[in-house]
């Protein structure tokens, strides 16, 4: 939630013209209070309202050649593939389940058909998303669907395998560290799907995780990371954290910092806690002053920047496969669009894969030469 609100703020600063759509769009008052400059707000699955707002705010002359073309929200070479809606968890800081309801997995055949259509249309990277990707199929008891004329149970492992067969990059987002996630790591080691996991840990203090009502506890996370790396040494693990949650003590925060040191995550986002209208966490005691939240975020980022910089430095001298987003700019397996770093080089064409020899790393990005 905070991530989305921050993204709206960034978009307003950079672009000035912003229309909010999706599940956050159901919270019109909240968005209007925080970002009064947004042009329009629509709820989820409301393409007509989005189009109306676009035409209202971006009037243009009639063009018979392009008027039938829909709005593209991502460049043609990558696409988000939503595999489920809703969530069975009830994290205390989150209102998504109250807006979207419990988990509803899409039939595996339908997901695969969409994925294949996207690949046939030129997409080179599929970004698998949902509120809890690791829970895919739980709601339908891993029901058997059909793909390619063959029966296929709807679970994360099978879905990852058949997506991997499409021959494009497949990147998994919002995966919780449940034991069965271990099964997909060998697919990453074999190169079937990208060696990348986006796992929102949110905190490391068991007490705060309990107050947050998070689905997975911190206890086994470090062992799990170790075993993933043993199977797939190249794996990139990205995560997000919240600092300054109500009741977070100095000790809780120190536990979080020492988790960061031990976990050695590649990419990390950090947000200061801010109450969301309607979230259960608003009832918790121990709200922290903004100054403390800001100090903790700064300390957190300082620790993680050192770790991330070290991880990037280790790539200098290696040749990486890169998907070009625009000439001179692309991403390797470790970089999801919008949220991670990029690779800088000279040349390349959007949508093609190139090999780049890495010469240099800075705090967030890599720099190299086309091979
Ligand atoms: S797992 Fe928690 S934070 Fe994520 S959507 Fe579900 S309730 Fe919200």
């Amino acid at each position: 939630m905070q991530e989305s609100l921050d993204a709206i703020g960034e978009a307003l600063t950079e672009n000035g013209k912003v229309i909010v759509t999706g599940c956050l769009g159901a919270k019109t008052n909240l968005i209007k209070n925080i970002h009064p400059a947004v042009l329009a707000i629509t709820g989820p699955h409301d393409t007509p309202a989005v189009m109306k707002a676009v035409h209202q705010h971006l009037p243009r002359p009639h063009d018979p050649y392009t008027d039938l073309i829909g709005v593209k929200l991502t460049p043609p070479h990558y696409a988000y593939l939503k595999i489920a809606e809703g969530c069975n968890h009830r994290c205390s800081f989150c209102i998504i389940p109250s807006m979207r309801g419990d988990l509803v997995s899409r039939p595996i055949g339908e997901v695969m058909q969409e994925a294949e259509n996207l690949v046939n249309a030129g997409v080179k990277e599929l970004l698998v998303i949902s509120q809890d990707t690791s829970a895919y199929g739980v709601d339908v008891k891993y029901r058997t669907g059909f793909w390619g004329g063959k029966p296929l149970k709807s679970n994360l492992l099978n879905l990852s395998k058949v997506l991997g067969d499409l021959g494009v990059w497949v990147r998994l987002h919002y995966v919780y560290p449940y034991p069965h996630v271990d099964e997909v790591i060998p697919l990453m080691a074999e190169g079937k799907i990208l060696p990348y996991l986006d796992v929102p840990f949110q905190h490391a203090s068991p007490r705060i995780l309990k107050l947050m009502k998070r689905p997975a506890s911190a206890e086994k996370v470090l062992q799990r990371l170790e075993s993933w790396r043993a199977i797939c040494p190249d794996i990139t693990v990205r995560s997000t954290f919240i600092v300054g949650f109500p009741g977070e003590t100095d000790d809780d925060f120190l536990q979080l910092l020492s988790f960061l040191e031990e976990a050695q995550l590649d990419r990390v986002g950090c947000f200061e806690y801010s109450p969301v209208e309607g979230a259960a966490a608003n009832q918790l005691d121990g709200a922290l002053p903004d100054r403390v939240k800001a100090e903790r975020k700064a300390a957190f980022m300082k620790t993680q920047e050192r770790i991330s910089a070290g991880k990037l430095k280790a790539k200098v001298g290696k040749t990486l496969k890169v998907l070009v987003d625009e000439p001179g700019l692309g991403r390797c397996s470790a970089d999801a669009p919008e949220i991670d770093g990029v690779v800088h080089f000279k040349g390349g064409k959007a949508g093609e894969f190139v090999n780049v020899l890495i010469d240099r790393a800075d705090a967030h990005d890599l720099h190299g030469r086309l091979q």
Side-chain angles (χ1 to χ4, degrees):
M1 171 68 55
Q2 187 56 46
E3 201 167 351
S4 306
L5 289 170
D6 289 348
I8 295 168
E10 272 171 39
L12 279 168
T13 312
E14 281 181 22
N15 187 300
K17 289 187 172 146
V18 173
I19 294 168
V20 178
T21 185
C23 66
L24 189 63
K27 288 276 154 193
T28 309
N29 289 342
L30 170 75
I31 299 167
K32 274 195 179 147
N33 284 342
I34 299 175
H35 297 299
V38 295
L39 297 176
I41 301 167
T42 80
H45 305 301
D46 199 355
T47 312
V50 176
M51 294 310 295
K52 194 172 160 214
V54 169
H55 291 142
Q56 196 179 336
H57 293 285
L58 286 178
R60 52 164 175 66
H62 174 71
D63 180 342
Y65 295 103
T66 58
D67 274 357
L68 294 176
I69 299 171
V71 169
K72 263 204 171 303
L73 299 174
T74 51
H77 59 278
Y78 67 79
Y80 292 91
L81 182 66
K82 188 150 207 180
I83 60 168
E85 275 291 355
C87 181
N88 287 346
H89 303 297
R90 295 293 181 266
C91 301
S92 58
F93 54 82
C94 176
I95 54 169
I96 286 176
S98 68
M99 293 190 290
R100 292 265 165 135
D102 284 340
L103 177 83
V104 179
S105 300
R106 291 177 64 198
I108 197 161
E110 187 185 302
V111 172
M112 285 308 300
Q113 190 56 62
E114 183 181 337
E116 191 178 68
N117 292 348
L118 288 165
V119 172
N120 289 340
V123 163
K124 302 282 172 45
E125 177 179 8
L126 293 166
L127 302 131
V128 177
I129 54 165
S130 68
Q131 262 82 47
D132 179 0
T133 295
S134 31
Y136 178 67
V138 167
D139 54 312
V140 291
K141 302 195 169 49
Y142 307 112
R143 178 170 62 204
T144 301
F146 285 88
W147 175 242
K150 293 193 186 126
L152 192 66
K153 275 192 175 292
S154 327
N155 60 40
L156 181 64
L157 178 63
N158 283 339
L159 181 64
S160 303
K161 274 184 189 160
V162 283
L163 284 172
D165 288 341
L166 295 176
V168 296
W169 276 7
V170 175
R171 195 184 291 281
L172 301 182
H173 287 279
Y174 314 123
V175 175
Y176 287 95
Y178 300 132
H180 72 271
V181 171
D182 297 3
E183 297 170 352
V184 300
I185 310 299
L187 298 181
M188 299 182 179
E190 289 162 27
K192 290 274 273 183
I193 62 172
L194 287 179
Y196 181 99
L197 269 186
D198 177 4
V199 194
F201 293 123
Q202 307 298 17
H203 214 283
S205 150
R207 202 180 67 81
I208 296 297
L209 286 168
K210 208 163 161 209
L211 286 173
M212 288 179 165
K213 295 200 175 11
R214 290 296 288 165
S217 75
E219 296 148 27
K220 302 253 168 69
V221 162
L222 289 169
Q223 287 117 289
R224 186 137 277 133
L225 282 169
E226 205 178 311
S227 68
W228 292 346
R229 286 175 176 143
I231 299 167
C232 182
D234 286 339
I235 193 168
T236 295
V237 181
R238 141 169 269 278
S239 191
T240 47
F241 293 86
I242 296 171
V243 294
F245 192 75
E248 184 190 67
T249 61
D250 286 344
D251 183 53
D252 292 317
F253 182 62
L254 288 176
Q255 286 183 52
L256 177 55
L257 290 187
S258 76
F259 172 84
L260 277 189
E261 296 283 4
E262 284 194 70
Q264 293 286 304
L265 303 172
D266 300 82
R267 309 281 195 188
V268 163
C270 176
F271 301 93
E272 290 171 35
Y273 173 78
S274 70
V276 172
E277 196 187 320
N282 300 351
Q283 313 304 324
L284 293 171
D285 293 333
L288 294 178
D290 288 348
R291 179 187 51 80
V292 174
K293 291 189 216 170
E295 281 169 7
R296 288 186 181 170
K297 181 176 176 185
F300 178 104
M301 291 315 289
K302 201 169 159 209
T303 302
Q304 182 57 36
E305 266 166 23
R306 175 173 40 77
I307 295 167
S308 297
K311 292 253 170 186
L312 285 178
K313 220 169 166 193
K315 295 185 193 224
V316 173
K318 293 189 175 168
T319 298
L320 303 178
K321 186 173 177 181
V322 167
L323 178 57
V324 181
D325 284 329
E326 60 183 79
L329 209 64
R331 293 171 294 104
C332 67
S333 67
D335 312 314
E338 311 286 338
I339 51 175
D340 292 327
V342 291
V343 183
H344 299 267
F345 48 89
K346 281 206 169 71
K349 238 177 42 212
E352 72 175 357
F353 286 107
V354 292
N355 290 317
V356 178
L357 172 63
I358 304 303
D359 300 321
R360 181 166 72 79
D362 59 34
H364 304 286
D365 300 332
L366 295 170
H367 303 256
R369 283 168 283 150
L370 279 190
Q371 292 299 286

